[in-house]
Structures are given as C-alpha cells and as structure tokens.
Amino acid sequence: MLSQKTIDIVKSTAPVIVEAGPKVTQHFYKRLFSEYPELQNIFNMSHQNNNQTDTPSSQQVALFNAICAYAKNIDNLSELLPMVEKIAQKHTGFLITKEQYEIVGSQLIATIDELLSPGQDVLNAWSEAYNLLAEIFINRENEIYKENQIKQGGWSGKREFVVTEKLENTDLITSFTFKPSDGGLVANFKPGQYISIHLSSDLFEHNEIRQYSLSSSPKSDEYRISVKRDLDGLVSNHLHKNINVGDKVLLTPPNGDFYLNAQSNEPVTLISAGVGFTPMLSMLESLTSQSKTINWLHATENSSTHAFKNHVNVLVNESKNIQNFTWYNDPLDTDIYDVDYDFIGLMDLNKIATHLRDEKMQFYFCGPVGFMQKIAQQLLMMGITKDRIHYECFGPHKIL
C-alpha cells in the first residue's frame, strides 16, 4: 500500500506532468532506447516513429495516457483493473520480464527528473507509485503465463510452428495457418483473442513481434491469422512476400481481453470493417452451432476487398439464425446489389434498426478507429447501453 504522503505528492504533481504533455514520453523512449538498445527487439518501432519529430507517436500517446490515468486513480486502483488487464494480456505476448519493468521504472523517473527537476521527495513518491503498479502488472502477467502453460496444448515462452497453408483472400489480405512443429496440440482460446508472432530476418534491423487476431474458431491442432498488407508495414509485407508453406515461425500462446462472452440467452451482433473482420469471424464460426440470433454486419470498399465473402455466405446459408448485411463504399460495375452487397456508402445502423432492438443483444465490433467511433456513436444514439458494447483496437488501445 502507498503512504498517504506518496498519494498526495503524486496527485499534486500529476498536473505538472500532464501540462508537460507527451514530450515526457518522447523523452522517455529516446532515453530508454539510447541506454538499452536491445529493447528495440521488443517494442514495435513503427509505433515509435513519426515523420514529424515534434508529434508523438501512437505508442507514446498510449503511455502518456496510462501515466495520467494512474495518477488520477492512484487512491482508487480498482478503477485501473480493466487497463491493467488489457496491457498485461499484451505484455505476455511480448514475454515482458520483471527486469524490464525495473529498467522502464528507472528510465521514467530519470525522465521526470531531467525534464521537470521536481526534487527528491517527488521523485521518491513517483518511484514508489511506479513500483506498486509494476508489481500489480508482474503478478497478473505471471498468472497469465501459468494459465497458458497448464492448458491442454499450452506452453510457456516461444514455440515453433510451421506454416501449413497460405491463402490469398484478397489482393491485400492473406491467411496463414500454423501447426506446431512438434505435432502436438495447441492451447484453446476465446474467440476474439490474438496470437503473438516473433520474427527474425536479415531484412529487419531488429527482431519483430506482432499480434494478430485469430480468424477461425478454436481448433485442437492449428491457428489461423488473416493479415492485411499495409503499404508501409514492415512485418505484414514480410509475411505476404516471404513467408510460405513449410516455413517456421515462433508463436506465444493466445491472449487478449476482447473475446466473445455473451450468455446463452443473449443475441449477438458482430460488426466489422476491412480487416477488422478477423476477430469477428472467429466469433461467428464459434456461434453457428448455437440457436441464438446472430447479426453479421460488414463494411468494405467492394468485392475486390471483401475477404471470406463466400465462406460467410456458406455459414449464413447453413444457419437459420444468422442475418447478413454488407455495405460497399464504392461498388464495382460488376458488383450486384442484393447479391454482393445490401447498402452503398458508410455503415448506417439505422438501415437495419429493427434487427438490433433486442434489449439483451451484445454488440462486438472491430475496424479502423474512425469506423469504430462512428459505430459506437450510432449504438449509443439508439439507446444501447455501454455494458453491451465491446470493441478491439489494433495497435495501442484508444477510448472511443
């Protein structure tokens, strides 16, 4: 427990750090990587880089927001538990260690000292506060490591898998299926969770770790991810161009705090745009054997970018409980209304409001942040309560 003196100092000095803005975290990361360059093999460096050096990156903003949230709730840590769980799940995919928490803590305190010169009492208070938070993370992450290890098919650390299938879904999205090189079982996961892939290559300056949503229902001996090739994406381009059937990769067990958690009597609406369909598809495949009502809503540019279109149609045709609605923003001349798509333009939930009015319905969605912000706004305007709204951001988390 923190002393009241420490709590008072942190709360009274937090506004100074807030006023300093993300330059605190910019300075922190510059210092961290200068003194511990090996940590660049863990952090996603594309989240650190920005063409405008005075503009904070997404990862830097995420750290700054976490610091502010911690200071605000330092006397009520229960408010932080959702944030702790989200970050702890991500950290276990990166195999973060206690020693790395100690390094980060020392660099954070040094940054506060160098930028703000607040005095030793303030530095001691922030150090004490950080150590308590680090302990909370370390304990939770140790629990997750143990949970993953004792599962049937589970393991600890990195495990070698072989690519058994590589399927081009669209020009930009390709699916990869992995099976363990040892021929054993794999750990079960909750639909919506992700896998962490650890890659090394002569083409990379550093080792690279990425987390991709699992895009199929749980299987006993394999995992599938579906990856969008970003024009500037170092790893996504490497996967598309250089990783083929028979190649070996290293994976850590599935993780994530976003997953299907609806009760048996609760209907479900799955909403996605672009490659955001990946966790939704895992949920859909897992739900098809149930008798509950399911709405599948997807938005994309047109049929050329519509991944797993035929697969979803098969699932819909085999079930009497799935309603399927598709929005094409810019249909091709060859796309057929009421066959390939149902609506033109951006997703408008008012078009299908009658399908969404069940007061027990749970809503899950994933896609670009702008898309998810609009979906969240539409749901709230329709009277959907926040406890029925669940979403996932790729990369650093953002509050919608």
Side-chain angles (χ1 to χ4, degrees):
M1 295 292 293
L2 297 175
S3 67
Q4 189 59 49
K5 177 183 178 181
T6 293
I7 292 173
D8 291 342
I9 290 176
V10 170
K11 290 184 76 72
S12 65
T13 55
V16 178
I17 294 179
V18 172
E19 185 177 353
K23 72 177 183 180
V24 172
T25 48
Q26 285 180 298
H27 184 90
F28 160 78
Y29 278 115
K30 182 178 180 180
R31 197 181 200 285
L32 177 69
F33 296 137
S34 175
E35 295 204 14
Y36 297 92
E38 69 274 13
L39 291 182
Q40 294 176 89
N41 291 310
I42 295 175
F43 285 83
N44 183 341
M45 297 308 295
S46 67
H47 286 161
Q48 298 299 322
N49 298 326
N50 195 300
N51 292 332
Q52 301 175 346
T53 57
D54 60 341
T55 302
S57 70
S58 57
Q59 183 62 66
Q60 292 165 358
V61 170
L63 177 60
F64 177 74
N65 290 339
I67 293 171
C68 294
Y70 181 43
K72 178 181 178 181
N73 295 285
I74 194 168
D75 52 353
N76 185 20
L77 294 182
S78 62
E79 289 292 319
L80 297 174
L81 293 181
M83 179 192 76
V84 168
E85 184 65 17
K86 182 174 294 294
I87 295 174
Q89 291 286 341
K90 288 184 176 295
H91 279 182
T92 52
F94 291 107
L95 303 177
I96 300 300
T97 66
K98 178 181 179 181
E99 292 71 25
Q100 289 163 348
Y101 272 106
E102 293 171 352
I103 290 172
V104 166
S106 66
Q107 295 298 304
L108 181 60
I109 299 306
T111 294
I112 293 174
D113 187 23
E114 291 171 358
L115 288 185
L116 305 175
S117 302
Q120 195 59 46
D121 284 348
V122 173
L123 294 177
N124 289 343
W126 275 91
S127 180
E128 183 184 348
Y130 172 84
N131 289 336
L132 174 62
L133 183 62
E135 182 180 357
I136 293 172
F137 275 109
I138 291 167
N139 290 339
R140 177 58 188 137
E141 287 163 24
N142 283 337
E143 290 175 351
I144 297 172
Y145 288 133
K146 292 176 182 177
E147 291 166 2
N148 286 334
Q149 185 173 9
I150 65 175
K151 287 180 181 178
Q152 182 179 26
W155 71 95
S156 177
K158 292 177 280 191
R159 183 179 178 188
E160 187 180 82
F161 281 70
V162 62
V163 179
T164 58
E165 183 178 34
K166 180 179 181 181
L167 179 63
E168 185 177 293
N169 306 119
T170 70
D171 289 344
L172 293 180
I173 297 176
T174 294
S175 292
F176 300 83
T177 300
F178 307 108
K179 290 192 176 185
S181 297
D182 59 23
L185 300 177
V186 300
N188 195 16
F189 64 91
K190 298 172 182 176
Q193 291 187 307
Y194 50 77
I195 200 81
S196 300
I197 183 169
H198 295 240
L199 296 168
S200 299
S201 170
D202 293 338
L203 302 173
F204 300 159
E205 183 178 358
H206 313 287
N207 295 337
E208 298 290 344
I209 308 171
R210 294 294 186 274
Q211 294 174 325
Y212 294 107
S213 296
L214 291 153
S215 62
S216 72
S217 59
K219 305 291 191 300
S220 64
D221 63 343
E222 67 181 28
Y223 296 126
R224 184 181 73 195
I225 61 173
S226 301
V227 180
K228 178 183 178 182
R229 177 173 55 82
D230 293 324
L231 294 179
D232 299 321
L234 176 67
V235 172
S236 66
N237 276 287
H238 178 68
L239 288 169
H240 277 246
K241 296 177 181 178
N242 304 320
I243 299 298
N244 296 298
V245 172
D247 289 339
K248 306 289 180 61
V249 298
L250 297 174
L251 304 180
T252 54
N255 290 110
D257 69 324
F258 173 73
Y259 51 82
L260 183 64
N261 196 31
Q263 302 301 310
S264 59
N265 65 336
E266 293 175 334
V268 172
T269 293
L270 307 175
I271 308 173
S272 61
V275 76
F277 76 86
T278 52
M280 302 296 102
L281 185 57
S282 177
M283 295 182 189
L284 181 66
E285 290 186 0
S286 301
L287 286 168
T288 52
S289 62
Q290 301 184 25
S291 59
K292 67 172 65 185
T293 297
I294 306 164
N295 295 316
W296 173 266
L297 317 181
H298 183 62
T300 188
E301 280 300 297
N302 47 56
S303 59
S304 70
T305 60
H306 193 168
F308 284 94
K309 171 186 170 184
N310 293 333
H311 177 59
V312 170
N313 286 339
V314 169
L315 296 178
V316 171
N317 291 333
E318 290 178 347
S319 173
K320 298 179 181 179
N321 308 313
I322 305 176
Q323 296 288 331
N324 180 18
F325 298 99
T326 302
W327 278 257
Y328 278 1
N329 189 46
D330 185 20
L332 301 175
D333 292 340
T334 53
D335 291 337
I336 303 174
Y337 167 73
D338 209 29
V339 174
D340 297 302
Y341 64 95
D342 302 285
F343 305 102
I344 296 178
L346 302 180
M347 185 177 289
D348 181 359
L349 299 183
N350 290 311
K351 301 282 189 181
I352 57 166
T354 56
H355 295 275
L356 308 178
R357 288 176 178 161
D358 192 309
E359 62 183 13
K360 294 182 179 179
M361 185 168 288
Q362 299 291 320
F363 296 83
Y364 296 83
F365 54 97
C366 186
V369 171
F371 166 81
M372 292 197 296
Q373 289 173 333
K374 291 177 181 178
I375 292 300
Q377 292 169 2
Q378 291 182 55
L379 291 174
L380 293 173
M381 289 294 292
M382 295 172 70
I384 308 301
T385 54
K386 290 185 178 180
D387 62 301
R388 294 194 284 143
I389 296 175
H390 319 277
Y391 64 93
E392 174 80 309
C393 289
F394 295 147
H397 185 69
K398 297 179 175 63
I399 303 297
L400 302 186

